[in-house]
Amino acid sequence: SATVASRISWFSRTEAVRTALTLTQELETTFERIRVERMADVPILNSMVRVEAVGFEPHHPDFIGVLVTPWFMNLMLVPEDPDAAAGELPGETRLCSFPAGDFEFIAGFEHGLGHYCMCSLFSPMFDFADHDAAVATAEAVMAGIMTPDEATAEDAAGVSERPMSRRELFRQLAGSSSA
């Protein structure tokens, strides 16, 4: 009957929604597999850095957080529903707004994870002496993107200043937390 079908479909959809914990596990499992299978002999790996998903939190309809790997650190948007397509094909870009400003993300797809969008922060990862320094930077990035950019706030108040670029923001955050 139609009622049974709608209950089953609703139940299945409810079961498919991620939590921050399940997403963290999916990201770490997927990118650890990539490290072992595809990146093992690539010379840009920083052997002092491990794969870790840092600070993932809801940013509906996605989760936002930072993925640290031995070869990159990316700000990631991952749909709460693993069956949802990001709306873009892999390689396409979209602009996302946060209190710190607008950031360009590139769509991607990985088996075991599904669709996601990423914003490159660091690559390669040789600026980091160890894993703790990389994680501290990732945590600072998460705090930083949720804090209004002072230059943008001054522009809105009528003060004409050049806003800080994304790269300048992340370099500044990395300098304060990896030292």
Side-chain angles (χ1 to χ4, degrees), residues 149-164:
D149 180 11
E150 291 176 19
T152 303
E154 289 173 1
D155 284 346
V159 177
S160 171
E161 277 190 32
R162 181 184 67 85
M164 183 182 298

Side-chain angles (χ1 to χ4, degrees), residues 113-127:
L113 179 64
H115 292 274
Y116 61 89
C117 290
M118 61 190 159
C119 176
S120 179
L121 305 175
F122 297 94
S123 182
M125 294 289 287
F126 295 122
D127 290 341

Side-chain angles (χ1 to χ4, degrees), residues 69-139:
T69 74
W71 64 98
F72 72 70
M73 183 185 302
N74 287 346
L75 190 58
M76 303 282 287
L77 283 172
V78 184
E80 288 179 353
D81 181 347
D83 296 326
E88 301 86 9
L89 295 174
E92 291 183 341
T93 61
R94 78 166 150 164
L95 200 60
C96 296
S97 295
F98 297 94
D102 297 333
F103 301 93
E104 186 174 78
F105 285 75
I106 300 171
F109 178 87
E110 281 295 334
H111 293 287
L113 179 64
H115 292 274
Y116 61 89
C117 290
M118 61 190 159
C119 176
S120 179
L121 305 175
F122 297 94
S123 182
M125 294 289 287
F126 295 122
D127 290 341
F128 299 97
D130 58 32
H131 186 73
D132 290 341
V135 169
T137 299
E139 290 168 345

Side-chain angles (χ1 to χ4, degrees), residues 20-36:
L21 178 60
T22 60
L23 174 60
T24 295
Q25 293 167 342
E26 288 174 41
L27 282 163
E28 290 176 355
T29 299
T30 299
F31 281 87
E32 180 61 22
R33 186 185 74 243
I34 291 168
R35 185 192 67 76
V36 169

Side-chain angles (χ1 to χ4, degrees), residues 1 13-14 28-29 41 49 57-58 63 76 78 81 93 107 150 164 167 170:
S1 87
R13 177 139 171 89
T14 302
E28 290 176 355
T29 299
D41 296 324
V49 177
E57 60 187 50
F63 280 97
M76 303 282 287
V78 184
D81 181 347
T93 61
E150 291 176 19
M164 183 182 298
R167 206 166 280 284
F170 297 134

